[in-house]
Amino acid sequence: MTENGLPGNLRVRPNVADLLGLLAIMAAAVIIATAGRHMLVPIPASEAGTIHLNPAWLPAYAVRTTLRMFAALAASLVFTFTYAVWAAKSRRAGQVLIPLLDILQSVPILGFLTFTVVFFLGLFPGRMMGAELAAIFTIFTSQAWNMAFAMYQALRTVPSDLEEAARCFGLTPWQRFWRLEVPFAVPSLVWNTMISMSGGWFMVVYSETITVGNTDIALPGIGSYVGLAIEQRDIWAIFYAIVTMLAVILAYDQLLFRPLVAWSARFRTDDGTTFSAPDPWVLTLLRRTHLLRQICLRVGDAMTRIGWLALGARPSAPRRTFVPARLVDTAWLTALGIFAASVGWKTWAYGSTHYTAAQVMQVIGLGGFTLLRVTVTVLVSTLVWVPIGIWLGLSPQRARRAQMAAQFMAAFPANLFFPLIVVVIVHQHLNSNIWLTPLMLLGTQWYILFNIVAGASSYPGDLLEAARNFHVSGWLWWRRVMLPGIAPYFITGALTASGGAWNAAIATEVASWGDTTLSARGLGAYIAHATVAGATDQVGLGMVVMAAFVLLLNRALWRPLSNYAARHYTFD
């Protein structure tokens, strides 16, 4: 060991691996700087609004789309580590933040675009920056909710024996958060970050085409390229876009997510000896570097010291309460009641002057059709992907091999299936109310798969070994061992899949290919048609009804199930 505690063979002098790493970092910096420069140009002063279907433009479009998605992913992480943590740590805040999160994830993406585009374009009038931020925010809305739910669920299911150990060691709330709760949440958060990245792809077609009044702004990217290819029925351009997407997903899977999955295996709650997998080549390359490894170690040491800061009171410190908790609860609930009554009165006053009872009932009836599709989607996804996800998650080798394929399939925008679906429905004279439903399945089933894989990967190996020793097998193994163990993860996946299905309804209940447009009877189609027609009142009514459906479903089904799983199916 050296004087600073580092291994003796760790040298500061750069080697060939350092040179390769530094070149990669410099290339990434140049790409980011170039893309950032294009974001600052005025809208009419460039060809930014013109999309070319020549495949030679696709590499540049891929870079722009990827940067937008990673910018949205960074914002989603900040949101996850603030909003979800606050909701999990504060019982009173959670009473407001979680229902609000249910509403936010249910509001359709196009609904966000209607209002946020005007806001961001107003911040940067006449410049591409406003449109870029609107697109990034839209992608953020398709990524953040899933990650926040995963973090919230993980913080609420920390094993009680680990919490007791933290109290025995006298960890402050800050130390407990960074030394216990965040490591426990890492495996689930990593897998949900991957599915959120894929969810961003699902919505990228809509986020890169900005419409404000009579002005259309097509941001350079794969999404706008695909949108133009669908509009012009250019099947070869769609093929080029698919190949480009595969290359991009393969790149960030190898460079980022595969190392993250390998790193997150350190935080599994078992003894870590049951399964082992070789490190990805990126981690191996990083370990062979001298200078970069030294820098990474320094950064890691600094973060460790920050995590050990004694912020907050220790468990043994006496707690001072100046106001009785019951009185605070009463005041809090009273304030919530007054706020809810005020919002309800404003909503009623607006709705009574803009909508008739028959119109509202019609929209609620359409919501019933979409509810049926969402239910079928979640049930089919559960039956198909729960056993497959467990089979994959119990073997790191299988999970690693399937990871990239699952990411690519999850990232595959349903829009690219529109040609196939529309042609088949038209030529076979099929019922679009039924046969457009598989498009909804394409975008939502992956939430369940990724969460099941995360749950099975985190299942304690010693419990599996105990089940084997007691010869527990067959249906008894599923009922007593595995299904209870993955229940919290499944509920998180089903909840987010349900919300994603509602959100995807607006994109999947109306399918277009050139001049041919098919529509299914449902709330998503109602909102989509109203958006195209510019009927803001109808868009607002559809969004409120959809949010009410999602909120009622979550309150009546998913939240009770989540609380039950947190009480009965956590590993103590």
Side-chain angles (χ1 to χ4, degrees):
M1 302 289 286
T2 60
E3 292 180 356
N4 56 9
L6 298 174
N9 59 354
L10 188 63
R11 304 180 190 282
V12 182
R13 288 181 299 177
N15 58 6
V16 176
D18 281 306
L19 179 61
L20 294 175
L22 290 173
L23 287 176
I25 293 173
M26 291 174 62
V30 170
I31 291 173
I32 293 173
T34 304
R37 181 171 56 83
H38 286 295
M39 293 173 65
L40 298 174
V41 300
I43 291 177
S46 72
E47 296 182 348
T50 303
I51 302 300
H52 306 273
L53 290 186
N54 188 328
W57 288 81
L58 272 173
Y61 290 165
V63 170
R64 299 288 293 274
T65 296
T66 305
L67 290 179
R68 287 186 198 108
M69 295 185 69
F70 275 102
L73 195 65
S76 299
L77 279 174
V78 173
F79 177 82
T80 299
F81 275 83
T82 52
Y83 192 100
V85 173
W86 189 20
K89 292 291 183 180
S90 171
R91 176 174 56 84
R92 298 187 185 97
Q95 293 171 345
V96 176
L97 297 180
I98 295 306
L100 183 59
L101 194 60
D102 291 338
I103 295 174
L104 287 173
Q105 75 155 348
S106 67
V107 177
I109 296 295
L110 291 183
F112 280 115
L113 270 176
T114 304
F115 305 103
T116 57
V117 166
V118 176
F119 172 76
F120 285 112
L121 288 180
L123 286 180
F124 301 93
R127 293 192 171 274
M128 291 296 292
M129 177 63 82
E132 292 281 359
L133 290 180
I136 291 171
F137 182 80
T138 305
I139 298 172
F140 163 84
T141 60
S142 64
Q143 294 178 340
W145 320 140
N146 174 53
M147 295 167 60
F149 272 127
M151 187 73 175
Y152 173 78
Q153 185 69 27
L155 293 181
R156 294 179 69 245
T157 56
V158 175
S160 59
D161 56 343
L162 295 181
E163 290 188 336
E164 183 62 29
R167 279 191 291 272
C168 292
F169 284 117
L171 299 185
T172 66
W174 176 265
Q175 292 170 335
R176 187 171 66 248
F177 179 69
W178 290 109
R179 308 304 299 175
L180 170 62
E181 294 167 340
V182 170
F184 181 76
V186 161
S188 175
L189 188 58
V190 168
W191 281 97
N192 279 278
T193 301
M194 288 191 290
I195 189 61
S196 290
M197 194 71 176
S198 300
W201 280 105
F202 187 77
M203 290 298 178
V204 78
V205 175
Y206 300 97
S207 66
E208 291 183 348
T209 303
I210 308 293
T211 301
V212 181
N214 297 324
T215 304
D216 294 331
I217 304 172
L219 297 173
I222 296 179
S224 54
Y225 182 93
V226 169
L228 183 62
I230 291 174
E231 182 182 335
Q232 297 187 1
R233 293 191 177 202
D234 191 335
I235 197 70
W236 278 107
I238 290 180
F239 173 75
Y240 297 142
I242 292 173
V243 173
T244 307
M245 281 180 52
L246 177 61
V248 172
I249 294 171
L250 180 64
Y252 69 63
D253 174 77
Q254 292 292 318
L255 297 175
L256 178 63
F257 284 128
R258 186 156 296 191
L260 277 179
V261 170
W263 172 74
S264 69
R266 300 172 53 190
F267 305 108
R268 291 172 50 189
T269 52
D270 63 353
D271 55 10
T273 59
T274 305
F275 304 116
S276 61
D279 287 337
W281 65 269
V282 173
L283 285 182
T284 303
L285 180 64
L286 182 61
R287 290 196 178 97
R288 289 177 181 174
T289 63
H290 291 165
L291 182 60
L292 289 180
R293 188 182 178 196
Q294 185 78 292
I295 294 173
C296 291
L297 287 173
R298 298 296 183 188
V299 172
D301 289 343
M303 295 179 67
T304 301
R305 291 191 182 97
I306 293 174
W308 276 113
L309 292 176
L311 301 179
R314 295 192 179 279
S316 58
R319 294 185 177 181
R320 297 179 180 180
T321 55
F322 300 98
V323 181
R326 181 171 297 180
L327 183 60
V328 175
D329 286 340
T330 303
W332 173 249
L333 293 177
T334 302
L336 286 182
I338 294 174
F339 179 75
S342 175
V343 172
W345 172 252
K346 292 287 185 183
T347 303
W348 171 260
Y350 180 85
S352 61
T353 57
H354 289 76
Y355 311 112
T356 63
Q359 191 178 6
V360 173
M361 292 305 297
Q362 179 201 2
V363 177
I364 293 176
L366 293 175
F369 286 105
T370 303
L371 173 63
L372 180 61
R373 291 194 186 90
V374 170
T375 303
V376 171
T377 299
V378 174
L379 285 176
V380 171
S381 302
T382 300
L383 293 175
V384 172
W385 292 114
V386 166
I388 295 176
I390 291 173
W391 181 73
L392 293 174
L394 290 180
S395 167
Q397 291 83 1
R398 288 195 293 262
R400 190 175 61 256
R401 290 168 187 160
Q403 175 188 332
M404 214 284 290
Q407 281 187 70
F408 178 69
M409 294 302 296
F412 210 84
N415 316 64
L416 298 181
F417 286 97
F418 284 0
L420 177 64
I421 296 293
V422 171
V423 169
V424 171
I425 289 176
V426 170
H427 282 269
Q428 299 297 324
H429 305 288
L430 301 175
N431 188 339
S432 58
N433 288 315
I434 298 175
W435 293 99
L436 284 180
T437 304
L439 291 176
M440 185 183 289
L441 191 66
L442 292 173
T444 58
Q445 59 189 334
W446 311 110
Y447 292 101
I448 293 178
L449 172 63
F450 277 62
N451 275 281
I452 294 299
V453 171
S457 301
S458 303
Y459 199 97
D462 51 353
L463 293 184
L464 288 175
E465 186 63 28
R468 277 193 291 269
N469 291 336
F470 285 109
H471 303 289
V472 178
S473 60
W475 174 238
L476 184 63
W477 181 84
W478 286 92
R479 189 162 55 89
R480 292 293 187 183
V481 179
M482 185 49 63
L483 292 183
I486 63 161
Y489 294 89
F490 166 72
I491 293 171
T492 300
L495 192 154
T496 51
S498 174
W502 280 99
N503 213 328
I506 197 170
T508 57
E509 288 186 347
V510 178
S512 297
W513 176 239
D515 299 329
T516 304
T517 299
L518 298 178
S519 179
R521 187 176 175 80
L523 188 53
Y526 173 86
I527 297 174
H529 290 311
T531 302
V532 173
T536 309
D537 286 347
Q538 293 181 21
V539 174
L541 178 60
M543 290 169 59
V544 169
V545 171
M546 184 174 284
F549 264 98
V550 175
L551 194 59
L552 288 175
L553 195 62
N554 288 352
R555 292 287 105 182
L557 177 64
W558 297 121
R559 289 301 163 206
L561 284 177
S562 176
N563 293 333
Y564 183 84
R567 289 194 303 269
H568 295 85
Y569 299 135
T570 55
F571 294 112
D572 294 331

